[in-house]
Amino acid sequence: MAKNLVIVESPAKAKTIEGYLGKDFVVKSSFGHVRDLAKKGEAIDIANDFAPRYEVSPDKKQVVADLKKLVKVAETVWLATDEDREGEAISWHLYETLGLDKKETKRITFNEITKAAVLKAIDSPREINKELVDAQQARRILDRLVGFELSPVLWRKVRPSLSAGRVQSVAVKLIVEREKEIEAFKGDFFYKVNGIFTAENGRFKAEVSQQLKSEKEVESILESCKGANFKVSDVAMKPAIKKPVAPFTTSTLQQEASLKLGFSVSRTMSVAQRLYEAGHITYMRTDSVNLSETALDAAQNEIEKAYGKEFSNRTKYTTKDTGAQEAHEAIRPSDFGKHSINGESEQERLYDLIWKRAISSQMSDAKLERTTIKVNAAGVDETFQAKGEVIKFEGFLKVYLESNLDDEDEDETDSGLLPAVSKGDLLDANEIKITQRFSRPPARYVEASLVKKLESLGIGRPSTYAPTITTIQKRGYVEKPDREGEERTYSQWKLSNDKIERKELTEVTGREKNKLAPTDIGVVVTDFLSEHFVTIMDYNFTAKIEKEFDEIAKGLMDWTKMLKEFYTPFHTNVEDTLENSERATGERELGIDPASGRKIIARIGRFGPMIQIGDEQVDGEKPQFASLRTNQSINSISLEEALELFQFPKNPVSYTHLTLPTIYSV
DNA sequence: CAGTGAGCGAGCTTCCGCTTGACTT
């Protein structure tokens, strides 16, 4: 029998570590937390310094039983869970649950899974850090208090079965606020001027940087360009460098997999999980961009072998986010020598992305030369500009270029090669084109951009980004409606061979898929919470309490005191809201029913968004009701559309708003 | 599922963060 029992969080990690340690060690996994606050009854004794009541989670009963057996025969138990707040708490819960003996228990940590790191950890054990554990207990209890006191307020004031929480409610708020910005957006248009010019060595496209505001300006420019003699008025060349970016964290992996592979956040995580279990990559839930020394060596080796010494540039990245806990390495291939793997297509593609990102992070800067050509003509007031970029040395661009979430389907800027020209060269203007363009409303979030935003606010953790997105959709706060988009017309003028031609063209705008938009319920709940629970809904709330958790972890603050200071005003606020606030229905008056002269309102009813004609209190007659259809919302439905809902009462229409909890199916 | 908008009054829902399978479709 093994003398030593090592407990880590993940079974795949256990397997790896067992290989590093000798015959005397058996390594097992706890599968994450084994205990949590009681699900039912009083889990927190608020009057008694928030004393928590923990119980072994139902799905961990077997794990705990198995570990107990191994503890009995082991001489020493090594608690080797992660080096962060949650990891420390897991060790403490194991210690308590397994009834460990302090003399025979050792706490060890390592934030990279390498033989050297593990052996070093075994050489320098410590005790469980109770202050760090207390910080976790404060975090856990605060989240329970917020979630389990706020949700029932919603049941009473909005609709049953709804939920609220420190993370999810703010995630929904981001989406609601973005939608309000879009609604408030006033579209504008302008005119953009382009020219295609031919020089001795080739053609290039150049544009005028200022935007024209009126057709009058358009026409006067075109007139001035007629027969004008264009020439190169300036050529400027500037060297530039592009730097690679850090290897993946969970959040950046989710973003890139979304952009480059079209994966949803949860799909990325499940594919990564399989890569991890197969031993192809390091752990996929991490907020660290750090690479171990062994990994740096391996990457450098591989780059020098595959591309040459000049492509290697060993770089240590550091995490800027203050909330990061850095219990693991960045996400990287276990073996940099494997440029690709064989497996299911999505695993191959995600691995390819991870390999390229990690390798490129250790490669040299790309050297570029940026060229700007200015084109002018006598009699033409505007300056045309062409910008080009030439790669002088590829560096990391040989393997990888990061995508950008913000500039999808933006007009492509011609940044390729420009022909060699010199100042004073004469040019032929093949075509001057002026196109009407439109300003764009703020973009709706996609899953990955929401994760990016949450991470930048320090809200949520690598292990919760994907589940949070699932939750807010399951609760019916947000959805991803398919939008067909609308056709719009725009004008375009072309000047060639001294002839001006004007055309009216059409394009489709606003076509969308997979964009997150709030439902009526999402809007009503967010407005309600924002009005009554300003503190919780503040984007800085998490950051603020994280600072206090850090104080607790450092032993500078007492965790029960921190909770008390938070809870006392919060609870008063809850009571006050329950007693004094109106039901939140998102009611909006649409107008008067022409047939009956009664008032028409849109609001959230017991079964979701609906239209109501009349009010029994006011006109003494029973009101009429109709549910909104899919893609209709309280905020945008018109009086006409509302009346239409009463025209065909027997028509079967889809009522997807009515994704209701089972209680109502009775 | 059907297609409501409650004069029954019992008991239910809910949080965040750490982990994987065991379930269906």
Side-chain angles (χ1 to χ4, degrees):
Chain A
M1 259 306 156
K3 288 191 221 136
N4 296 282
L5 171 65
V6 181
I7 306 177
V8 296
E9 277 154 88
S10 143
K13 191 166 158 182
K15 220 174 84 190
T16 312
I17 291 171
E18 202 158 38
Y20 298 151
L21 298 168
K23 281 256 178 293
D24 289 342
F25 288 82
V26 58
V27 187
K28 291 289 169 190
S29 140
S30 74
F31 296 85
H33 275 294
V34 294
R35 282 204 313 190
D36 191 16
L37 290 173
K39 196 98 180 71
K40 300 243 179 300
E42 287 290 308
I44 304 162
D45 188 350
I46 291 163
N48 190 13
D49 271 348
F50 300 91
R53 188 164 63 85
Y54 293 112
E55 45 189 40
V56 174
S57 317
D59 56 332
K60 298 295 162 54
K61 291 243 156 76
Q62 191 57 52
V63 175
V64 168
D66 292 348
L67 287 174
K68 268 186 177 159
K69 274 185 214 153
L70 292 163
V71 165
K72 265 196 192 134
V73 295
E75 286 172 15
T76 306
V77 177
W78 303 76
L79 298 172
T81 54
D82 293 346
E83 196 178 10
D84 59 10
R85 199 165 65 205
E86 296 297 326
E88 201 69 19
I90 291 173
S91 276
W92 178 73
H93 281 302
L94 284 168
Y95 181 85
E96 298 271 304
T97 311
L98 301 175
L100 299 182
D101 183 333
K102 194 169 176 181
K103 281 188 299 236
E104 289 160 12
T105 305
K106 290 177 171 164
R107 168 80 172 116
I108 54 170
T109 59
F110 31 82
N111 56 13
E112 54 188 57
I113 314 300
T114 58
K115 189 169 182 177
V118 172
L119 293 179
K120 193 175 156 206
I122 294 280
D123 272 342
S124 48
R126 58 173 174 85
E127 286 181 11
I128 290 172
N129 179 343
K130 192 61 194 336
E131 274 128 14
L132 199 48
V133 173
D134 287 345
Q136 193 274 349
Q137 296 199 85
R139 197 281 303 156
R140 178 65 190 95
I141 290 167
L142 183 140
D143 280 336
R144 166 62 66 88
L145 291 170
V146 170
F148 277 35
E149 294 214 4
L150 233 38
S151 299
V153 177
L154 295 180
W155 304 342
R156 286 265 304 275
K157 299 295 181 179
V158 186
R159 218 169 83 177
S161 299
L162 294 174
S163 65
R166 175 176 58 81
V167 172
Q168 60 169 283
S169 294
V170 179
V172 176
K173 182 182 168 191
L174 284 167
I175 294 164
V176 169
E177 289 201 331
R178 179 59 55 86
E179 200 67 21
K180 288 184 176 170
E181 286 170 35
I182 294 169
E183 276 163 23
F185 175 77
K186 295 247 190 302
D188 195 9
F189 60 81
F190 55 90
Y191 302 92
K192 207 169 164 182
V193 188
N194 284 303
I196 296 173
F197 299 96
T198 308
E200 211 170 300
N201 294 320
R203 295 184 147 187
F204 63 95
K205 195 170 153 192
E207 63 178 49
V208 173
S209 58
Q210 60 270 53
Q211 301 167 346
L212 311 182
K213 284 288 167 204
S214 69
E215 292 199 5
K216 218 172 128 190
E217 287 175 80
V218 170
E219 272 149 26
S220 92
I221 288 198
L222 288 170
E223 282 303 325
S224 74
C225 288
K226 258 191 196 168
N229 294 313
F230 286 97
K231 60 183 182 189
V232 175
S233 56
D234 190 39
V235 183
M237 288 201 256
K238 253 200 337 221
I241 56 164
K242 240 190 194 118
K243 288 179 174 300
V245 287
F248 282 134
T249 60
T250 301
S251 146
T252 53
L253 175 69
Q254 289 171 348
Q255 287 155 43
E256 282 288 279
S258 165
L259 288 165
K260 288 205 161 87
L261 309 178
F263 286 7
S264 73
V265 161
S266 55
R267 185 165 167 219
T268 298
M269 292 315 283
S270 81
V271 175
Q273 175 85 31
R274 277 177 280 149
L275 287 172
Y276 168 67
E277 282 166 7
H280 292 309
I281 60 169
T282 56
Y283 198 57
M284 64 280 152
R285 289 187 275 265
T286 175
D287 53 16
S288 172
V289 288
N290 184 56
L291 294 178
S292 67
E293 288 298 324
T294 1
L296 291 173
D297 289 342
Q300 186 175 351
N301 245 324
E302 190 54 37
I303 292 164
E304 289 177 4
K305 201 173 85 193
Y307 307 110
K309 247 191 160 71
E310 70 277 23
F311 281 90
S312 166
N313 179 28
R314 198 178 166 109
T315 310
K316 273 244 170 212
Y317 293 88
T318 47
T319 308
K320 292 207 179 62
D321 294 307
T322 44
Q325 308 201 5
E326 311 234 21
H328 303 95
E329 275 191 86
I331 304 169
R332 64 164 175 89
S334 314
D335 177 1
F336 283 95
K338 270 193 198 156
H339 291 217
S340 61
I341 58 151
N342 287 316
E344 276 171 47
S345 148
E346 44 183 20
Q347 291 183 40
E348 289 177 1
R349 289 159 71 208
L350 193 68
Y351 179 85
D352 181 64
L353 203 58
I354 292 167
W355 183 85
K356 284 177 172 166
R357 174 84 169 214
I359 275 279
S360 73
S361 79
Q362 298 304 313
M363 291 176 74
S364 36
D365 298 348
K367 295 193 176 74
L368 312 167
E369 188 174 75
R370 293 208 170 111
T371 306
T372 308
I373 302 176
K374 286 187 179 164
V375 175
N376 284 91
V380 178
D381 293 337
E382 286 70 21
T383 300
F384 289 79
Q385 265 196 23
K387 286 189 174 161
E389 209 171 73
V390 178
I391 295 175
K392 293 297 203 186
F393 173 68
E394 276 183 292
F396 78 95
L397 289 177
K398 200 172 183 73
V399 299
Y400 181 83
L401 178 62
E402 187 184 32
S403 301
N404 192 340
L405 269 166
D406 304 321
D407 61 19
E408 48 167 346
D409 65 36
E410 187 50 84
D411 297 339
E412 85 288 3
T413 42
D414 277 2
S415 57
L417 200 61
L418 292 173
V421 294
S422 328
K423 190 171 172 177
D425 283 2
L426 293 179
L427 299 169
D428 262 351
N430 301 77
E431 179 183 280
I432 305 290
K433 189 164 82 179
I434 304 188
T435 312
Q436 184 180 18
R437 297 285 47 186
F438 302 86
S439 56
R440 297 146 62 99
R444 291 193 174 87
Y445 286 105
V446 293
E447 291 186 1
S449 56
L450 182 65
V451 168
K452 185 179 182 180
K453 184 70 188 175
L454 287 170
E455 187 192 36
S456 75
L457 294 167
I459 298 169
R461 303 279 311 133
S463 66
T464 60
Y465 296 137
T468 298
I469 285 172
T470 306
T471 300
I472 60 179
Q473 290 179 88
K474 217 163 85 188
R475 297 272 175 275
Y477 293 148
V478 306
E479 54 191 13
K480 298 182 191 166
D482 279 355
R483 292 174 210 270
E484 293 297 329
E486 285 166 15
E487 229 174 46
R488 76 176 161 207
T489 60
Y490 64 101
S491 307
Q492 188 175 72
W493 293 258
K494 268 184 194 168
L495 167 67
S496 61
N497 301 323
D498 289 341
K499 276 214 304 264
I500 299 173
E501 198 186 337
R502 178 182 177 156
K503 269 195 282 194
E504 300 305 313
L505 303 166
T506 61
E507 64 186 349
V508 174
T509 177
R511 189 176 193 132
E512 277 185 355
K513 246 189 137 161
N514 292 325
K515 294 288 171 76
L516 296 165
T519 61
D520 285 325
I521 292 282
V523 174
V524 168
V525 166
T526 299
D527 288 348
F528 178 84
L529 292 173
S530 300
E531 187 189 336
H532 295 101
F533 299 96
V534 180
T535 315
I536 306 289
M537 294 300 276
D538 187 335
Y539 291 126
N540 293 317
F541 176 64
T542 291
K544 186 181 151 272
I545 57 168
E546 278 292 340
K547 271 194 199 132
E548 302 186 5
F549 295 150
D550 285 346
E551 299 276 289
I552 296 169
K554 286 183 201 148
L556 301 173
M557 193 189 278
D558 177 65
W559 70 285
T560 60
K561 197 168 154 242
M562 182 260 166
L563 281 176
K564 195 168 185 172
E565 273 166 25
F566 161 75
Y567 183 74
T568 308
F570 171 70
H571 184 67
T572 310
N573 195 5
V574 168
E575 303 263 88
D576 179 64
T577 307
L578 278 171
E579 202 164 316
N580 300 320
S581 75
E582 288 289 309
R583 262 193 92 88
T585 63
E587 182 171 317
R588 187 168 77 93
E589 216 179 298
L590 300 181
I592 302 294
D593 176 21
S596 65
R598 306 166 84 194
K599 212 154 69 175
I600 299 189
I601 57 167
R603 66 176 178 92
I604 302 274
R606 176 151 288 224
F607 303 101
M610 63 162 198
I611 302 294
Q612 177 178 346
I613 303 183
D615 182 336
E616 197 158 10
Q617 307 289 318
V618 177
D619 36 37
E621 241 183 286
K622 282 249 183 270
Q624 280 184 282
F625 301 99
S627 288
L628 294 199
R629 286 182 199 159
T630 318
N631 295 334
Q632 290 183 329
S633 88
I634 292 175
N635 274 324
S636 63
I637 193 166
S638 67
L639 181 60
E640 291 70 34
E641 288 164 337
L643 288 169
E644 217 172 83
L645 294 172
F646 294 88
Q647 306 249 309
F648 322 101
K650 299 279 174 269
N651 235 11
V653 288
S654 63
Y655 291 92
T656 59
H657 282 301
L658 309 185
T659 42
L660 275 172
T662 39
I663 343 161
Y664 283 101
S665 63
V666 190

